[in-house]
Amino acid sequence: MKLIKANIENQICTITINNPPMNILTREFREEFVPYMENLKSRTDVRVIILTGEGDRAFCAGADLNEEGELTPETVRYFLEEDCRIYDVVNEMPQPVIAAVNGYAFGGGFELILACDIRIMSERAKLCAAGVKVGLVVGPTRLVRLVGEAYAKEVILTGKTVVADEAFQRCLASKVVPHTILMNEALEWAKMIASRAPIAVRNAKETIQKTMDLNWKEAMTYELDAFITCQDTRDHKHAIESFFNKQIPIFQGR
């Protein structure tokens, strides 16, 4: 059975974690998912990616505990580094990635939605950095960068379950919608982003990520470099022409 289902339409790639009912992250999933995402990086016909889980119960309920049970002190770091490729490749994508969170996002599933750029949540969504419940550490590096130290400590040290409304209040979710319209809402966000100048979108995403850990001067230099790169594109020049002609620009990604 294929552990991911993918569909590309209108410059949007929708990827579904296909390991129901809980869509756990297995070695087989990683070996299928990571190369697929790597291949998408160079595809100019894909401007936005939506990531969701199969079924109504879970976006992703985390890693396979059977695999973790086989680890030894000698093998655990290699396992973790391989496991992190699932999250890292999402974070590295030049295209924006939208998580359509349709249910539980626990442990590794929580880490996976943190790696996405935008999170749209069903009212049924439940999040948990479950590490402290099973004697592990899960999620601090990504979470603290998204929500700050105080709330990251609250979530991680208690191991509490965060419901969708709280996630929205804490800026973990961009929007919470009824479960039945989750994918429609995620698709509307994806269409909006796909309608923008793709070179600018990719440069904007990279700039946000790269400048997060730079000092002010370095960050502004990086930002201005990105502006200069985009200023010389046909997309920008076409947008200016369309503005003066009172037309809606259509961006070609060049």
Side-chain angles (χ1 to χ4, degrees), residues 151-219:
Y151 187 59
K153 284 181 176 177
E154 179 183 330
V155 171
I156 290 169
L157 300 183
T158 64
K160 72 174 187 175
T161 298
V162 177
V163 297
D165 284 343
E166 180 179 344
F168 178 72
Q169 293 165 9
R170 296 290 191 160
C171 297
L172 272 174
S174 294
K175 194 166 185 180
V176 176
V177 297
H179 187 74
T180 54
I181 67 168
L182 173 65
M183 292 308 297
N184 287 339
E185 183 68 27
L187 189 58
E188 287 303 309
W189 284 69
K191 288 178 179 177
M192 184 188 306
I193 295 171
S195 74
R196 309 311 189 198
I199 295 173
V201 168
R202 291 184 180 214
N203 274 272
K205 173 178 173 174
E206 182 181 18
T207 300
I208 291 168
Q209 294 184 169
K210 291 287 181 66
T211 58
M212 191 179 304
D213 296 319
L214 300 178
N215 64 44
W216 180 268
K217 185 175 181 180
E218 292 170 334

Side-chain angles (χ1 to χ4, degrees), residues 49-164:
I49 298 164
I50 298 173
L51 183 60
T52 193
E54 180 67 25
D56 289 331
R57 289 189 64 188
F59 172 84
C60 171
D64 186 343
L65 295 180
N66 291 320
E67 290 182 12
E68 290 190 13
E70 299 171 358
L71 297 177
T72 67
E74 292 73 33
T75 62
V76 63
R77 179 168 293 276
Y78 176 78
F79 169 82
L80 289 174
E81 289 173 349
E82 287 295 293
D83 191 52
C84 279
R85 286 300 303 144
I86 294 172
Y87 322 120
D88 291 343
V89 75
V90 171
N91 192 71
E92 294 164 1
M93 297 304 293
Q95 304 96 330
V97 182
I98 299 172
V101 187
N102 55 308
Y104 294 108
F106 280 18
F110 184 55
E111 188 86 2
L112 187 54
I113 70 165
L114 296 181
C116 295
D117 301 296
I118 294 171
R119 287 155 290 280
I120 309 297
M121 296 190 185
S122 157
E123 60 195 352
R124 299 182 189 176
K126 291 181 172 63
L127 322 176
C128 183
V132 295
K133 292 184 175 182
V134 292
L136 296 171
V137 176
V138 174
T141 303
R142 297 187 201 277
L143 186 61
V144 75
R145 283 165 167 75
L146 284 174
V147 300
E149 179 183 348
Y151 187 59
K153 284 181 176 177
E154 179 183 330
V155 171
I156 290 169
L157 300 183
T158 64
K160 72 174 187 175
T161 298
V162 177
V163 297

